[in-house]
Amino acid sequence: MANLDTNSEVHSADVLILGAGLAGYIVANRVKELNPELSVLLVEKSTAGWSGSKANKGAGVMWVMEEKDDVGKFRDYYSAHHGHGLEDQELLEKVCGTTLEMVGHLERWGVNVAREADGSLARSNLLPLWALCAFDLDILMKLRKVATKYGVKSVDKTQVVELLTQGNRVVGAVGFDITDGTFRTFKAKAVVNATGSCCWMVSNMWSSARGDGIAAAWRAGAKMRNGEFSNFYNLGLRGNQAAMVGSQYALYNADNEWIAKRYCPDFETDVDLGIILGMEKEVRDGKGPISFEETELFYNNPLAVGDFLFRWNRPNAKKFWQRLWEGEGKYNSDRSWRPEVIPMFIGECSPVMTDHDMRSSLEGMWVLGDTNRSGAGWAGAVPPPSRIRGSGLTWASVSALLGSKSLADYAAGASDPVIDEDQVARFREALYAPMGRDRGLDVRESIFRLQEVISPPRYSARKSAGRIGESLARVDEVLHEVDEVTPGGDWHVLGLCHDLKNMAQCAEIYFTSALARTESRGWHYREDFPQRDDATWRKWVDVELRDGKAVVSTTPLPFERFKTPAVVDPWFYETMYEAIR
Ligand SMILES: Cc1cc2nc3c(=O)[nH]c(=O)nc-3n(C[C@H](O)[C@H](O)[C@H](O)COP(=O)(O)OP(=O)(O)OC[C@H]3O[C@@H](n4cnc5c(N)ncnc54)[C@H](O)[C@@H]3O)c2cc1C
């Protein structure tokens, strides 16, 4: 049996930030600027400013609304084609109106945002209603420098496992050091949950997103919203999982038929569910595998990989992506290059519900970035990245900016937290329980069993009550396995045991919400309810844990305050869903 006689540490701060990703760093810096007197502490599972965060791994492309971009037109377009009438239009407008401010803060903090020689923002000009701009991948190192100057403290290699509560208020967290097992208690007047989304460890580059903070918030009683939109698929190369962004126009079936004609004949700003369902149908019809061959449409697409990644002067991003593509040998103009392309499951469960100031349903807890991207409601019936590349980085930054003022004010006026030592003791015992097992199940096998009912298109692209039921039953089995997995005395694997529980609970949120929405809308396609039903379902599905059970409720959208009326995109419901039957 492993030695469980671990050290203990207690840390206190006015503002405790869980997760040192882009959202975590921006809110840390902003809170210090708004009120330098507040002590701010970042807790990071990996190394703050370096690993863990997705911003370092990404393409660095961000969505910006410049002055010349018409927010009203964008909102109308977004509602019809992306949000499908489920978007919070007021928050959507607020986000649009904050993107230029975001660029200003980033540049002020030393981030290299690409600009043209005349000083204007470098943007991809091919998109009609919004701008795609970019920064380089050293962004977190720049933000960390500023945070250090401001006196923000950080604790690394610490996996936060549970939130501490005082009634309905969140007053801290507990976790452990993934290198030596040290038990850490964190006390705070205000807590920011910026631990990221859940992607269920299916695709390598997204595997840092294991839903830790979402599941901890779920266990603490926080409300979740839009969990049914946790099902993003990228187009990816079989083998190295490189994303083939924009490649929907370059896909052929085994009979050499160009399949975009059937599944995405219109201009698509990003991967839509139609092409994912279509690829699966071709394979089911015996016309697989699907392969990639460049077409003019592909080249003319603003998201085509060459333009998207290499256009701007960003030395770090260039090095990162070139290395990835070198593995494939000849990404370029060789039209005989025909690799197999698959629907690559990403996931992106991000359901923690927040208001427009990023306050959760639990007092004292703000939620930002990938943790609340669906839960905040602005995106509507589409999983992240909302069919707008660049919205991940932008939302992480903008949500941090939108939340920082109310957070700083609250922390300045809040009473000292009262820690329930019994709760700490209970959490501590449960946290180390797997280490006490000499024998048990292999946690990696349990994770694989969970992935089997999440990633295949028949579970996450086309859903039905029957298959959602199968998924929920498997999730339940996996949740029971949580009490039997053993880390074999390894602190890192202890972390994986907690990841298993967190990912299973995120799956429970996802499938419970998906079962409740008995219609099809945007990226939520139910074979048993193929029509969009505005009369019944222009509502958000909310789920929360009550007495150990997932309880579903609905909240009507305040659409009487919205400027864009609900418009049904006929192609989507009458043509696309027909085509894949
Ligand atoms: C390969 C790739 C390419 C991408 N490209 C783009 C792009 O070009 N444009 C775009 O807009 N978006 C892109 N994205 C998405 C974008 O990177 C994210 O939306 C954004 O970075 C999210 O930031 P965040 O701070 O909310 O979350 P994260 O970056 O996920 O940060 C969360 C942090 O919390 C830490 N953490 C997690 N659990 C715990 C715990 N239990 N205890 C303590 N700490 C914890 C993590 O280690 C991490 O550092 C890409 C993502 C990937 C993976």
Side-chain angles (χ1 to χ4, degrees):
M1 190 194 283
N3 176 18
L4 296 183
D5 190 14
T6 57
N7 292 328
S8 295
E9 291 173 8
V10 178
H11 300 256
S12 298
D14 294 320
V15 178
L16 172 69
I17 302 172
L18 311 177
L22 185 57
Y25 263 113
I26 291 186
V27 78
N29 289 349
R30 237 2 238 148
V31 162
K32 274 301 216 180
E33 286 179 346
L34 292 167
N35 187 344
E37 300 300 312
L38 292 171
S39 57
V40 177
L41 177 66
L42 280 158
V43 184
E44 170 55 45
K45 193 178 189 176
S46 299
T47 304
W50 186 249
S51 55
S53 162
K54 283 186 187 163
N56 289 342
K57 308 181 184 96
V61 174
M62 60 180 168
W63 157 47
V64 178
M65 300 295 292
E66 290 194 272
E67 274 126 5
K68 59 186 166 194
D69 298 310
D70 183 329
V71 172
K73 269 196 194 153
F74 169 78
R75 191 195 55 239
D76 292 349
Y77 171 83
Y78 187 92
S79 177
H81 301 283
H82 297 205
H84 292 270
L86 208 63
E87 69 290 338
D88 179 338
Q89 293 180 10
E90 291 173 316
L91 184 56
L92 181 66
E93 285 187 52
K94 209 168 162 184
V95 174
C96 291
T98 312
T99 57
L100 272 184
E101 183 191 330
M102 161 190 82
V103 173
H105 286 302
L106 292 177
E107 291 190 316
R108 194 166 55 77
W109 290 327
V111 173
N112 167 25
V113 177
R115 285 192 177 267
E116 305 289 1
D118 65 3
S120 61
L121 272 176
R123 63 183 272 168
S124 173
N125 285 319
L126 294 163
L127 285 163
L129 294 170
W130 64 92
L132 286 183
C133 304
F135 51 67
D136 207 354
L137 300 187
D138 56 357
I139 180 168
L140 285 193
M141 288 155 76
K142 301 275 175 64
L143 296 178
R144 182 185 166 122
K145 232 185 223 171
V146 177
T148 307
K149 190 179 86 192
Y150 287 163
V152 172
K153 301 274 183 276
S154 58
V155 178
D156 282 345
K157 307 286 179 203
T158 301
Q159 179 160 346
V160 168
V161 177
E162 299 290 356
L163 299 170
L164 295 174
T165 50
Q166 178 186 336
N168 188 47
R169 178 182 168 196
V170 177
V171 288
V174 293
F176 70 101
D177 191 305
I178 56 170
T179 63
D180 65 9
T182 299
F183 183 75
R184 299 205 165 102
T185 303
F186 301 94
K187 305 176 184 182
K189 289 182 179 166
V191 174
V192 178
N193 190 336
T195 47
S197 62
C198 183
C199 298
W200 290 283
M201 294 175 72
V202 175
S203 296
N204 296 349
M205 283 196 289
W206 281 260
S207 74
S208 62
R210 301 175 188 185
D212 300 21
I214 296 167
W218 170 249
R219 292 189 293 271
K223 201 177 253 195
M224 306 288 150
R225 175 164 288 174
N226 283 327
E228 63 273 35
F229 302 103
S230 300
N231 58 340
F232 180 58
Y233 287 81
N234 231 327
L235 298 168
L237 289 186
R238 183 186 284 291
N240 82 351
Q241 297 200 352
M244 299 292 288
V245 176
S247 67
Q248 57 265 36
Y249 300 114
L251 300 179
Y252 289 78
N253 67 17
D255 291 348
N256 216 17
E257 292 166 321
W258 182 51
I259 65 170
K261 190 169 68 188
R262 247 168 267 152
Y263 307 115
C264 51
D266 286 345
F267 172 75
E268 288 290 343
T269 59
D270 204 333
V271 182
D272 202 354
L273 186 61
I275 194 69
I276 302 297
L277 289 165
M279 288 168 82
E280 197 224 9
K281 176 168 167 36
E282 294 293 319
V283 173
R284 279 195 285 142
D285 289 351
K287 293 183 175 182
I290 307 298
S291 47
F292 168 92
E293 186 176 310
E294 287 121 334
T295 59
E296 291 312 317
L297 258 175
F298 176 69
Y299 278 121
N300 289 335
N301 185 329
L303 295 179
V305 189
D307 182 64
F308 185 64
L309 293 176
F310 300 124
R311 185 173 169 264
W312 297 292
N313 175 26
R314 300 177 304 149
N316 295 298
K318 197 165 179 177
K319 230 184 282 165
F320 179 91
W321 287 99
Q322 258 174 355
R323 203 168 301 144
L324 192 72
W325 284 109
E326 270 162 18
E328 276 305 313
K330 35 179 172 159
Y331 166 71
N332 243 325
S333 55
D334 179 350
R335 294 192 170 218
S336 65
W337 186 64
R338 272 202 148 202
E340 186 181 345
V341 176
I342 53 164
M344 185 169 91
F345 182 80
I346 303 292
E348 299 286 17
C349 174
S350 55
V352 187
M353 190 201 83
T354 52
D355 66 11
H356 292 188
D357 286 330
M358 308 305 125
R359 285 184 160 104
S360 69
S361 60
L362 301 178
E363 191 197 331
M365 183 170 80
W366 276 250
V367 185
L368 309 175
D370 273 10
T371 324
N372 76 331
R373 218 160 132 197
S374 296
W378 64 270
V382 64
S386 319
R387 301 190 63 231
I388 299 196
R389 287 298 150 146
S391 61
L393 297 168
T394 295
W395 174 248
S397 312
V398 165
S399 60
L401 295 175
L402 293 178
S404 36
K405 174 80 173 66
S406 55
L407 169 67
D409 288 350
Y410 176 89
S415 58
D416 284 336
V418 177
I419 300 300
D420 174 350
E421 294 302 339
D422 288 345
Q423 187 182 46
V424 174
R426 274 198 315 277
F427 283 160
R428 182 181 177 137
E429 196 184 330
L431 191 158
Y432 292 116
M435 291 299 266
R437 288 177 210 133
D438 284 335
R439 267 185 253 153
L441 298 174
D442 181 333
V443 63
R444 291 179 185 84
E445 285 182 14
S446 296
I447 290 172
F448 184 67
R449 273 194 285 280
L450 183 63
Q451 291 167 336
E452 277 181 330
V453 288
I454 289 180
S455 60
R458 69 181 179 283
Y459 289 111
S460 282
R462 50 188 177 90
K463 304 165 197 160
S464 68
R467 285 195 301 277
I468 296 171
E470 272 176 49
S471 300
L472 280 168
R474 175 70 62 86
V475 169
D476 196 48
E477 282 165 25
V478 170
L479 279 168
H480 281 95
E481 291 174 15
V482 165
D483 294 329
E484 293 178 57
V485 290
T486 172
D490 184 318
W491 296 114
H492 280 86
V493 185
L494 175 64
L496 207 54
C497 294
H498 291 291
D499 295 338
L500 172 69
K501 180 175 175 178
N502 295 330
M503 291 192 289
Q505 289 181 330
C506 286
E508 187 182 5
I509 296 165
Y510 167 32
F511 289 119
T512 304
S513 311
L515 188 63
R517 184 172 289 283
T518 49
E519 64 153 0
S520 291
R521 187 183 292 264
W523 266 71
H524 175 69
Y525 173 54
R526 287 278 302 256
E527 284 176 321
D528 42 357
F529 297 95
Q531 294 303 317
R532 170 168 150 173
D533 175 4
D534 269 10
T536 320
W537 278 113
R538 212 154 167 227
K539 289 174 188 158
W540 287 307
V541 172
D542 299 333
V543 196
E544 59 195 308
L545 195 63
R546 288 281 168 259
D547 302 322
K549 290 235 166 331
V551 177
V552 177
S553 58
T554 56
T555 304
L557 273 76
F559 45 81
E560 65 285 353
R561 300 206 302 264
F562 292 173
K563 294 180 191 145
T564 299
V567 177
V568 177
D569 175 358
W571 143 248
F572 208 84
Y573 297 92
E574 286 158 28
T575 319
M576 194 268 290
Y577 285 164
E578 257 327 296
I580 50 96
R581 279 217 201 108

